Tab-separated table of all heavy atoms in Angstrom:
chain	number	residue	atom	x	y	z
R	24	GLU	N	113.680	-103.148	212.662
R	24	GLU	CA	113.794	-103.717	211.321
R	24	GLU	C	113.116	-105.086	211.296
R	24	GLU	O	113.229	-105.860	212.254
R	24	GLU	CB	115.255	-103.874	210.928
R	24	GLU	CG	116.008	-102.562	210.790
R	24	GLU	CD	117.479	-102.784	210.482
R	24	GLU	OE1	118.065	-103.744	211.015
R	24	GLU	OE2	118.031	-101.990	209.710
R	84	ILE	N	128.331	-115.340	198.248
R	84	ILE	CA	128.055	-115.531	196.815
R	84	ILE	C	126.590	-115.205	196.521
R	84	ILE	O	126.271	-114.500	195.552
R	84	ILE	CB	128.388	-116.972	196.377
R	84	ILE	CG1	129.867	-117.297	196.628
R	84	ILE	CG2	128.037	-117.174	194.907
R	84	ILE	CD1	130.838	-116.453	195.845
R	94	LYS	N	117.382	-103.039	195.739
R	94	LYS	CA	117.646	-101.606	195.845
R	94	LYS	C	117.906	-101.133	197.267
R	94	LYS	O	118.749	-100.252	197.473
R	94	LYS	CB	116.466	-100.820	195.259
R	94	LYS	CG	116.276	-101.035	193.763
R	94	LYS	CD	115.075	-100.251	193.252
R	94	LYS	CE	114.880	-100.463	191.748
R	94	LYS	NZ	113.682	-99.744	191.241
R	109	ASP	N	138.916	-117.888	206.987
R	109	ASP	CA	140.052	-116.971	207.044
R	109	ASP	C	139.482	-115.557	207.154
R	109	ASP	O	138.847	-115.074	206.209
R	109	ASP	CB	140.899	-117.105	205.781
R	109	ASP	CG	142.051	-116.108	205.741
R	109	ASP	OD1	142.245	-115.370	206.744
R	109	ASP	OD2	142.759	-116.058	204.727
R	123	LEU	N	129.279	-103.607	195.979
R	123	LEU	CA	128.311	-103.932	194.930
R	123	LEU	C	126.900	-103.466	195.280
R	123	LEU	O	126.112	-103.105	194.398
R	123	LEU	CB	128.293	-105.443	194.685
R	123	LEU	CG	129.486	-106.035	193.935
R	123	LEU	CD1	129.471	-107.557	194.042
R	123	LEU	CD2	129.464	-105.599	192.474
R	138	ILE	N	128.900	-128.477	212.690
R	138	ILE	CA	130.363	-128.554	212.816
R	138	ILE	C	131.050	-129.106	211.566
R	138	ILE	O	132.246	-129.354	211.575
R	138	ILE	CB	130.747	-129.405	214.034
R	138	ILE	CG1	130.140	-130.817	213.914
R	138	ILE	CG2	130.292	-128.733	215.323
R	138	ILE	CD1	130.597	-131.776	214.997
R	168	ASN	N	140.965	-101.286	210.806
R	168	ASN	CA	142.216	-100.740	210.275
R	168	ASN	C	142.515	-101.289	208.880
R	168	ASN	O	142.458	-102.493	208.663
R	168	ASN	CB	143.384	-101.128	211.190
R	168	ASN	CG	143.158	-100.706	212.628
R	168	ASN	OD1	143.214	-99.529	212.937
R	168	ASN	ND2	142.877	-101.670	213.499
R	187	LEU	N	142.508	-105.108	201.355
R	187	LEU	CA	141.672	-104.391	200.386
R	187	LEU	C	140.767	-105.376	199.659
R	187	LEU	O	141.085	-106.562	199.572
R	187	LEU	CB	142.569	-103.664	199.367
R	187	LEU	CG	143.508	-102.598	199.932
R	187	LEU	CD1	144.481	-102.139	198.858
R	187	LEU	CD2	142.710	-101.429	200.488
R	200	ALA	N	126.026	-113.643	216.512
R	200	ALA	CA	124.852	-114.513	216.651
R	200	ALA	C	125.124	-115.537	217.746
R	200	ALA	O	126.197	-116.135	217.793
R	200	ALA	CB	124.553	-115.221	215.335
R	210	ARG	N	130.403	-111.714	225.633
R	210	ARG	CA	131.411	-111.300	224.655
R	210	ARG	C	130.847	-110.193	223.758
R	210	ARG	O	131.519	-109.182	223.517
R	210	ARG	CB	131.845	-112.484	223.806
R	210	ARG	CG	132.887	-112.088	222.777
R	210	ARG	CD	133.283	-113.150	221.772
R	210	ARG	NE	132.683	-114.420	221.919
R	210	ARG	CZ	133.334	-115.568	222.170
R	210	ARG	NH1	134.634	-115.561	222.326
R	210	ARG	NH2	132.690	-116.704	222.246
R	320	LEU	N	104.917	-108.009	217.949
R	320	LEU	CA	104.906	-106.866	218.863
R	320	LEU	C	105.192	-107.305	220.292
R	320	LEU	O	105.842	-106.587	221.063
R	320	LEU	CB	103.556	-106.140	218.785
R	320	LEU	CG	103.312	-105.349	217.500
R	320	LEU	CD1	101.868	-104.870	217.437
R	320	LEU	CD2	104.272	-104.156	217.410
Side-chain angles (χ1 to χ4, degrees):
E24 295 176 323
I84 300 297
K94 295 179 180 178
D109 176 5
L123 286 168
I138 58 174
N168 305 288
L187 298 171
R210 180 187 358 242
L320 288 171

